[in-house]
Amino acid sequence: MDRFAELPPIDARFAARANEHIPVVRETAQRPRGLVRVTQDEGAALGWTVEDAGAVEDMHVLDAGDSVIVDFGGHRNGYLSFDLVPYKHGIEPNDSPCRLRLVFGEVVNDVAEAFEPYSAFISAAWLPDEILTVDFLPQPVRITRRHAFRFVKVEVLATSRNYGVRVENPMATAISSAPADPPALTFAAAGADLPEEDKDLLRRIDAAALLTLRNCMTTVYEDGPRRDMRLWIGDLRLQALTNYATFNEHALARRCLFLFAAAPFSRSGLLSASIFEHPTLCSGGQAIVDYAHLYAAALRDYVRASNDVATGHELFETAERQLVLGLGRCDAHALYAAEITDPSADAKDKPPADETLWHFIDWQDKLDKRAPSHCVLIYGLRALLDLSALLSLPVPSLAVPFAPAPLALPAIIDALTCTAREAFFDEPTGAFLSGTARQLSWATNAWAVLAGVPTSRAQAARAMTVAYESADAVIATTPYLHHHLVDALIDAGLDGLALAHIKRYWGSMLDAGAATFWEAWDPDRPRFSPYGDLHSNSFCHAWSCTPSLLLRRLGFA
């Protein structure tokens, strides 16, 4: 069965609205820092250290079998160019093509380790290497495929015995649609009494977070420039919020919101979890239910930041539809009762359209997702209520399975909130628990707090403290859930714990060598990958950029 044959047609009206604001992508030329060598180091987080190996201009002539690593420093999303220059070993000319393998490294492991054997369930075609053959030398070379990288390893696969080559004038061209960076954190409004060491760490975290966001901003909010290069609702919401607090740019979020409305996943109106821009606009071919429930929040945040009520009106029905579908999955007791499923590694095994109810929350395979999924639905409904007020619309009334007639939105929120308190709150521990096994997790308590389920801020603080400090709690594996954890800690009034977690979690990525923040990171399992292979991970990932937002929420502007 062709699943994609089930996808509804593109909504041309919304697609046209999205295309009204295609941003300008700016290019920045960047020269390398120099050459480096890598050394295995069991004491390093990722198992390798980087050592200086001289200037690019001092590169020796490379024969077949030789390699060299060029270090551009930092991180960029863009293109590589260089001059490939032959050097004769005798009187005979360079009498054959030169074949090269280029490996682009976001982190040192990319250029230090072989990609094979590759054990991830996602395509090996995403691996960041290129093989090219250059017939006539000397020759300017430009790699037309876009890469995310700090390092470039050049391996000479073949020349002839009569000549070697050098890579001269290497240049990276970084691309982004982001405007200029905001001012660095000053700690004038808050944090003046922090130790200088902490201030320096927070500035470095902020800088890495801003670079992460910058390198994921092109003509959409990409989830990551290494892999996918597409738009996801969950990433969009966090990227846009961080953007509003830093770059203060609004048009890209508007474009992305319209793109989702233009390419739904099902004829019921359920939104696609992701969108492909190229070669033509289309659905990514899957839905993530909790992402769809957050579309209203993304639209509300955009209207709040931009005052663009016209876009809010145009897309209100799309946002409302996601929550109508979600409410339809509730039972007669106002409990979200959808079957919670995760995606198969083999897309061919997935059922079509409305039968696919993937609930993400986090890439934590031990996580019971029933309670957090219920709370995400409440969060989305509250966002829809906020949005209707921002747009001066009447309070929506919606049909629900737990009432004989449509209910006003505040009554629906109250019903789901009361059910959450009864079903999930555990009086003896003071925390919210999920599932028949009564699982304690960061996800359940964070989303309960963000959804306004606790009866008081004191109850929220108690629940978050219990979940955070318990050795038995199921924790997070991605910065996506770590963001919601910190956001909930702030909502609960636990600013000190929130700040400590930012320093510990995102700071540990810097300690491991990050220039931008990563898709998945567990300090206790540095090689963790949700896909089964470290080399399939993205090391500049959109949902990881939020320390810049969270630090400003804490007042460090």
Side-chain angles (χ1 to χ4, degrees), residues 139-168:
Q139 187 76 246
V141 176
R142 185 178 190 273
I143 305 305
T144 57
R145 187 177 180 223
R146 178 157 58 94
H147 286 275
F149 62 99
R150 170 185 170 177
F151 305 103
V152 179
K153 183 177 183 180
V154 181
E155 299 179 1
V156 180
L157 300 181
T159 57
S160 79
R161 70 180 70 181
N162 294 320
Y163 76 101
V165 293
R166 286 192 354 143
V167 170
E168 300 184 357

Side-chain angles (χ1 to χ4, degrees), residues 33 39 108 126 155 311 361 488 547:
R33 285 182 176 176
T39 306
V108 62
W126 287 116
E155 299 179 1
T311 293
I361 306 296

Side-chain angles (χ1 to χ4, degrees), residues 529-541:
S529 170
Y531 314 110
D533 192 303
L534 177 69
H535 297 295
S536 65
N537 286 8
S538 163
F539 295 93
C540 174
H541 210 74

Side-chain angles (χ1 to χ4, degrees), residues 136-463:
F136 304 109
L137 303 175
Q139 187 76 246
V141 176
R142 185 178 190 273
I143 305 305
T144 57
R145 187 177 180 223
R146 178 157 58 94
H147 286 275
F149 62 99
R150 170 185 170 177
F151 305 103
V152 179
K153 183 177 183 180
V154 181
E155 299 179 1
V156 180
L157 300 181
T159 57
S160 79
R161 70 180 70 181
N162 294 320
Y163 76 101
V165 293
R166 286 192 354 143
V167 170
E168 300 184 357
N169 305 313
M171 183 73 70
T173 302
I175 66 164
S176 177
S177 61
D181 280 346
L185 298 179
T186 63
F187 303 99
D193 55 345
L194 287 172
E196 288 302 317
E197 182 181 357
D198 283 6
K199 292 179 183 178
D200 177 66
L201 173 61
L202 294 176
R203 288 191 186 101
R204 291 191 294 118
I205 289 173
D206 185 45
L210 287 171
L211 185 59
T212 303
L213 177 58
R214 171 177 296 281
N215 289 353
C216 292
M217 290 175 66
T218 57
T219 52
V220 295
Y221 280 117
E222 294 181 353
D223 62 329
R226 177 191 182 101
R227 199 200 66 242
D228 284 10
M229 302 180 184
R230 54 178 150 154
L231 170 65
W232 293 77
I233 295 177
D235 299 77
L236 158 65
R237 188 176 73 90
L238 299 187
Q239 287 170 289
L241 280 169
T242 306
N243 184 345
Y244 306 148
T246 56
F247 297 133
N248 195 30
E249 189 278 336
H250 305 120
L252 189 59
R254 178 185 185 276
R255 168 171 165 76
C256 294
L257 289 164
F258 274 114
L259 286 173
F260 279 112
F265 178 66
S266 73
R267 295 182 187 277
S268 68
L270 179 64
L271 290 181
S272 302
S274 68
I275 297 292
F276 284 107
E277 232 190 331
H278 305 293
T280 58
L281 174 64
C282 72
S283 163
Q286 74 282 94
I288 298 178
V289 178
D290 42 311
Y291 278 18
H293 293 166
L294 291 171
Y295 181 83
L299 181 58
R300 174 203 61 190
D301 299 338
Y302 167 76
V303 173
R304 275 181 178 168
S306 67
N307 295 316
D308 179 5
V309 295
T311 293
H313 281 284
E314 284 185 88
L315 295 176
F316 185 86
E317 184 177 347
T318 300
E320 183 182 62
R321 184 61 185 156
Q322 308 317 303
L323 298 161
V324 168
L325 292 170
L327 289 169
R329 302 183 191 108
C330 292
D331 66 14
H333 306 289
L335 181 69
Y336 185 70
E339 182 181 355
I340 306 296
T341 60
D342 285 324
S344 164
D346 187 346
K348 293 182 293 185
D349 293 337
K350 294 181 190 175
D354 286 341
E355 297 175 35
T356 302
L357 295 179
W358 176 13
H359 296 72
F360 175 65
I361 306 296
D362 187 46
W363 279 121
Q364 170 59 267
D365 56 9
K366 298 178 182 177
L367 179 64
D368 188 297
K369 299 180 181 180
R370 281 167 281 194
S373 296
H374 181 101
C375 294
V376 170
L377 178 58
I378 298 174
Y379 185 92
L381 290 165
R382 291 190 188 278
L384 187 70
L385 185 61
D386 293 342
L387 181 60
S388 65
L390 285 170
L391 301 176
S392 301
L393 291 173
V395 173
S397 291
L398 306 174
V400 291
F402 46 86
L407 293 180
L409 190 50
I412 294 171
I413 293 169
D414 286 347
L416 266 71
T417 301
C418 287
T419 296
R421 289 168 180 164
E422 294 170 3
F424 309 137
F425 186 67
D426 181 66
E427 190 73 39
T429 62
F432 295 87
L433 309 178
S434 183
T436 55
R438 309 296 286 160
Q439 182 191 82
L440 176 66
S441 71
W442 289 3
T444 291
N445 287 274
W447 277 112
V449 169
L450 293 172
V453 175
T455 55
S456 66
R457 202 177 201 197
Q459 188 183 77
R462 169 68 176 163

Side-chain angles (χ1 to χ4, degrees), residues 477-496:
T477 62
T478 66
Y480 180 75
L481 183 52
H482 279 271
H483 163 82
H484 293 110
L485 172 78
V486 176
D487 207 21
L489 289 170
I490 296 171
D491 272 8
L494 301 171
D495 289 10

